[in-house]
Amino acid sequence: MIDLMYVLTVTGGTSMRVIQYPAERTAIRGANVTFGCKFADSQSGSDTTLYWWKRGEREYLHTRPDNRRIFDYKTFQILNLNFNDSGVYICAAVHKGKIAGNGTGTSLTVHGKCDYRTTEIVMDKLFYTKLTSCAVITFCESTIFYSHKKL
């Protein structure tokens, strides 16, 4: 596991070292993931709260109701992942109402499920001799695909 650290100083000189983990996470659609965040500062105490946000969005994630998201003191969990959950999630340490530090983010990539099905193939040969073999067929889900080739 790699810890990422980012230190931010806000007006008034308050700064905190924020450690966010893991740096990257890959998961299958329908799975659950957990992100962690911790901070190191002698002043922190009970006046410091950790909030989570997704890069590209304008508000903290806990402000919008979503029963798939679980916030604990130092962890954030997303249940039943879908493709739209892919993105970068950032932890912010807020001390006395002001941002005192941010993590560098955890990149989440959600992939589709693959279903491996085994089927029996029967091949007829001369004189009606049958040869049986096994084939594996793979079905995979994917997000929208855009080809770079011009048709």
Side-chain angles (χ1 to χ4, degrees):
M1 175 181 339
I2 298 173
D3 291 343
L4 295 179
M5 176 177 47
Y6 182 73
V7 177
L8 173 71
T9 302
V10 294
T11 306
T14 304
S15 67
M16 291 185 186
R17 185 173 62 129
V18 178
I19 301 167
Q20 189 173 334
Y21 52 93
E24 293 180 2
R25 185 71 199 267
T26 301
I28 302 294
R29 187 179 70 82
N32 303 330
V33 295
T34 301
F35 308 116
C37 185
K38 57 187 174 181
F39 55 89
D41 183 63
S42 58
Q43 314 171 359
S44 59
S46 62
D47 294 335
T48 302
T49 307
L50 296 175
Y51 293 112
W52 291 88
W53 52 283
K54 184 177 179 184
R55 185 173 288 157
E57 296 185 5
R58 296 178 180 230
E59 59 188 358
Y60 292 122
L61 296 172
H62 73 280
T63 62
R64 291 176 289 163
D66 187 340
N67 60 357
R68 294 183 317 112
R69 295 178 177 164
I70 299 171
F71 301 93
D72 196 359
Y73 180 62
K74 292 185 178 182
T75 62
F76 163 50
Q77 185 176 30
I78 305 175
L79 307 175
N80 193 24
L81 289 170
N82 61 52
F83 295 123
N84 292 332
D85 291 321
S86 292
V88 177
Y89 291 84
I90 300 169
C91 170
V94 177
H95 182 71
K96 296 184 179 180
K98 295 182 180 180
I99 296 177
N102 280 319
T104 53
T106 297
S107 176
L108 172 64
T109 304
V110 179
H111 293 286
K113 293 180 181 179
C114 287
D115 181 16
Y116 300 97
R117 298 181 188 172
T118 304
T119 185
E120 189 175 278
I121 300 173
V122 178
M123 300 170 54
D124 286 329
K125 291 206 166 207
L126 292 177
F127 309 109
Y128 303 103
T129 305
K130 292 189 177 183
L131 172 66
T132 303
S133 65
C134 186
V136 177
I137 301 171
T138 305
F139 300 92
C140 292
E141 294 177 327
S142 178
T143 57
I144 299 172
F145 173 75
Y146 296 98
S147 174
H148 295 290
K149 289 184 177 181
K150 292 184 179 181
L151 299 175

